[in-house]
Amino acid sequence: MEPLVALCKRRGIVFPGSEIYGGLAGTWDWGPVGALLKKNYKDLWWKDAVQLRDDIVGLDAAIMMNPKAWEASGHTTGFVDPLIECKICHQRFRPDKPDEVKGHEATHKGKTVEWTEPQKFNLLVKAYLGIIEGKQSEIFLRGEITNGVHVNFKNVLDTTRVQIPFGIAQMGKAFRNEITPGNFVFRSREFEQLEVQFYIKPEEAEGKKWFEYWKKDRMKWFLSLGMKRENLRFRDHEDDEKAHYAKAATDIEYNSPWGWQEMMGIHNRGDWDLSRHQQFSGKNLTYRDPETGETYIPWDIETSSGLERPLLFILLDAYRKDEKREWLQLDPKLAPYKVAVFPLVSNKPALVAKAEEIYHNLRKSMMVSWDDRGNIGKRYAAQDEVGTPFCITIDYTTLEDQTVTVRERDSMEQKRVLVSDLETFILKVI
Ligand code: ATP
């Protein structure tokens, strides 16, 4: 983890939030390279979840919602973590994360640490809305992005041609007053989520079928991004750890440097959300089967993952170091830059002009990095550290035969490719 965190800072992937003011615990700013990585992940996810499917539509609901929505979904009372406080230094921890508790006790070297009794701590972040002092209304920043989907169930039914079974996909920011943010971006107080709420007939057999379907499908997704199978596993929730809404719940976990950790959750939420929103809003949220005329509140199979957390695990899986170099063996689909273009030297106008021509052409179809500083070895090293799959060098031979040197990140092999073939060659790989 340590060399990866240093690399992320050094190469503009992730910076501590508000760093020049001493930071703000649990927040992170994604730099120029990290922003590209996030965008690539989200674009691929949207393509997989929405673009390539007939049975899922997208949505982008507001972060701020009528507070009644959070009462209905149970978050104002049920979105809680247990909290204990160290009687020596008053730092707070989660008793359900025993490793973190033990780690803290060790910091008080040899002293016996006493803890307060566990109390429930609500994770919703409060905000105040309105312009008249004293009359502002208290609202919540969304603690998960799910609610915005359920409250639009009817709107989506009325404006699209979807029929059950169908899903609504959404991604966006969520906020949690986490008791113990930490492990770099693993648990932060502001993060993004990517979710599909998949509505099905309210029947046990359908529930089991789609729950299994989505488990397999999500595992396939992470493998398609180049993650190692041996670092991933399913873990079913025990009855006493299931969220207040869940009929069945499984996590996909990652074998992190600090143990197996949740990367995403797959939940059978039953009809909890829609029936509660129907009850609290007084609006009819039932579905009418167009063939049988049968009316019911559907069940929801949810797949919910973060963005920063899977990206951290993808980066950990991709991180490589040997005696010569450090590099990110990222799947080319995810790589922030697809290719870097180098003129061999920066003081030969003919070489620079040719390199610029190639750079300007390629960047119409992909993210391209440009570097004309220092020696080629240093330029390769910089690109390796952000996972750029290919580097192209324009040299004197290019001016004679219209070929360039293409160097591949993982094998470090070099070959000459015709300038006219470059774009097709790279697009095929990415
Ligand atoms: P944990 O117990 O590890 O904090 P959770 O069980 O509360 O996680 P869910 O509510 O199931 O998490 O959220 C779904 C997904 O959203 C998680 O699997 C994770 O990828 C992401 N996520 C949740 N909380 C955070 C957070 N504080 N920071 C970053 N990502 C998060």
Side-chain angles (χ1 to χ4, degrees), residues 273-304:
D273 304 87
L274 288 179
S275 59
R276 294 276 290 192
H277 285 303
Q278 172 164 291
Q279 185 190 337
F280 279 65
S281 68
K283 299 287 185 306
N284 177 2
L285 298 183
T286 53
Y287 173 82
R288 189 174 175 279
D289 187 306
E291 271 157 37
T292 62
E294 188 193 354
T295 301
Y296 55 81
I297 293 188
W299 284 4
D300 169 33
I301 308 294
E302 165 186 73
T303 57
S304 170

Side-chain angles (χ1 to χ4, degrees), residues 176 178 186-188 191 193 262-264 304 306 309:
R176 293 184 188 180
E178 294 284 1
F186 171 76
R187 188 175 297 115
S188 38
F191 55 97
Q193 290 189 307
E262 169 179 342
M263 179 161 68
M264 77 165 299
S304 170
R309 194 179 285 189

Side-chain angles (χ1 to χ4, degrees), residues 57-229:
V57 292
L59 185 84
D60 185 12
I63 288 176
M64 300 189 289
M65 297 180 78
N66 187 315
K68 270 194 203 153
W70 298 108
E71 258 177 68
S73 61
H75 282 81
T76 48
T77 50
F79 195 49
V80 289
D81 275 341
L83 171 155
I84 52 173
E85 193 173 303
C86 167
K87 287 190 178 171
I88 301 176
C89 67
H90 303 291
Q91 271 202 63
R92 292 167 159 190
F93 289 88
R94 284 171 59 177
D96 60 331
K97 306 276 175 195
D99 290 346
E100 292 173 19
V101 173
K102 276 200 209 106
H104 180 70
E105 286 177 347
T107 64
H108 287 300
K109 297 184 187 111
K111 284 190 199 157
T112 314
V113 177
E114 284 185 51
W115 295 96
T116 59
E117 284 301 309
Q119 61 186 86
K120 284 182 175 171
F121 181 77
N122 195 295
L123 302 180
L124 285 175
V125 176
K126 286 179 185 164
Y128 299 91
L129 199 63
I131 51 162
I132 302 170
E133 190 59 37
K135 286 204 177 158
Q136 288 172 320
S137 55
E138 184 182 277
I139 60 158
F140 303 105
L141 301 184
R142 62 184 178 193
E144 48 150 277
I145 63 171
T146 322
N147 248 347
V149 170
H150 295 306
V151 302
N152 279 293
F153 176 71
K154 258 292 186 292
N155 282 336
V156 171
L157 276 185
D158 292 347
T159 53
T160 65
R161 285 172 294 135
V162 290
Q163 285 179 17
I164 277 180
F166 76 92
I168 302 179
Q170 182 176 227
M171 52 188 167
K173 290 260 180 171
F175 305 83
R176 293 184 188 180
N177 213 345
E178 294 284 1
I179 298 164
T180 47
N183 286 317
F184 196 30
V185 299
F186 171 76
R187 188 175 297 115
S188 38
R189 290 187 168 135
E190 173 178 341
F191 55 97
E192 283 185 72
Q193 290 189 307
L194 304 100
E195 293 189 347
V196 172
Q197 308 301 322
F198 198 79
Y199 298 104
I200 59 167
K201 271 191 172 174
E203 290 167 7
E204 291 294 339
E206 281 288 288
K208 286 210 174 77
K209 182 179 98 185
W210 284 107
F211 190 71
E212 288 308 315
Y213 169 88
W214 280 110
K215 274 173 65 176
K216 276 206 199 95
D217 186 84
R218 289 302 80 194
M219 181 60 89
K220 222 168 69 197
W221 160 250
F222 289 114
L223 295 176
S224 80
L225 300 176
M227 293 192 83
K228 295 182 194 151
R229 182 63 184 87

Side-chain angles (χ1 to χ4, degrees), residues 318-350:
Y319 180 80
R320 300 283 186 285
K321 186 179 166 77
D322 62 19
E323 45 307 329
K324 286 200 215 88
R325 60 177 188 144
E326 273 174 275
W327 76 104
L328 293 179
Q329 200 160 314
L330 284 172
D331 189 293
K333 293 193 290 291
L334 276 174
Y337 295 102
K338 307 307 178 193
V339 61
V341 174
F342 311 150
L344 183 65
V345 289
S346 59
N347 57 0
K348 289 280 178 285

